[in-house]
Every structure is written in structure tokens, then in C-alpha cells.
Amino acid sequence: MTTDALLADCRARLAFDLLSNTWNAVVLWALREGPRRPVDLREQIGGISSKVLTETLRRLQFNGLVHRQAHPGAAPPRVDYQLTALGRSLLAPIDAVGAWAVEHGDDVMAAQEAHCTATRGPSSQ
């Protein structure tokens, strides 16, 4: 990586932008086992609204990470989403970030708590 590696038009910055959205990585991870319907994704993920899930799936589709498969002949009509090869290639980095979080999450939360305690000061305790 050069010193220009994080410029706005850099490919590394593109990857960081894709992974910086919380729901992108979560939805990609939820699709790792194969095609899923949106209702199944919402149930599996929890805490995501239909609107946000739809926006996330559209963003992932736009970026070539997810494929949308419509089944218009089905009654009722249904749609499945699945990872593309490109989307599947992001699973290893997502897994690595998750492993880092498991290993260091307590340290991060302790640092956050220490910062909050220090910035409250003696008058608000």
C-alpha cells in the first residue's frame, strides 16, 4: 500500500466503504449458506427493518455482491437473494473481522467505558 492508498478513488477505500455499513456485512454473512427470501433474512438477522433490509439488498446487488432471483410463476410470487462469487469472496474478510471482535471486543468496550467515565468528570458522578 502506498501513502495514496486511502484516497477517495482508491480500491481499498471502496472495500472499506462496503464493510463500514453494518448491515452489508451482516446480510452477506446471513447469505453464506445459500439463497434466502427477505422474510427469512429478517428473521435470522433480527433488529433490521424491512426498509433497511431492502435498501441493503439493493446496495449489495448494485455492487455485484448479491444476485436477486425472482420467481414470478410461484404463488405467491417470491424473490430469493444469494451471494455472487464476488460476494462470497468477502466472507473471509468478514470472518476475520468477526474473529478480531470476539478476541478484542471486551477491550474495546472497556476503553469506551473508561473514556465515558473520564469525560463525565467528578461533578456528574
Side-chain angles (χ1 to χ4, degrees):
M1 233 194 254
T2 68
T3 55
D4 294 334
L6 299 180
L7 292 176
D9 61 348
C10 172
R11 285 176 175 83
R13 176 95 175 254
L14 172 77
F16 296 143
D17 287 344
L18 285 171
L19 292 177
S20 68
N21 179 294
T22 300
W23 295 116
N24 285 354
V26 171
V27 170
L28 289 170
W29 192 255
L31 287 169
R32 76 189 180 285
E33 306 266 332
R36 304 292 301 273
R37 295 173 53 208
V39 66
D40 297 328
L41 286 170
R42 276 197 66 219
E43 185 177 299
Q44 180 184 5
I45 293 169
I48 187 169
S49 69
S50 293
K51 178 181 183 244
V52 171
L53 178 59
T54 298
E55 291 169 352
T56 302
L57 288 166
R58 286 179 182 161
R59 182 173 48 253
L60 295 172
Q61 184 181 7
F62 172 78
N63 284 291
L65 304 173
V66 167
H67 174 72
R68 179 184 187 272
Q69 178 67 47
H71 303 278
R78 68 175 240 234
V79 174
D80 292 324
Y81 290 89
Q82 64 183 17
L83 294 176
T84 62
L86 185 60
R88 190 159 290 287
S89 72
L90 263 178
L91 292 178
I94 292 169
D95 188 45
V97 171
W100 181 90
V102 167
E103 185 175 341
H104 300 289
D106 290 341
D107 298 330
V108 171
M109 289 188 292
Q112 291 171 351
E113 181 60 32
H115 178 78
C116 288
T117 300
T119 58
R120 277 189 228 130
S123 62
S124 59
Q125 292 180 350

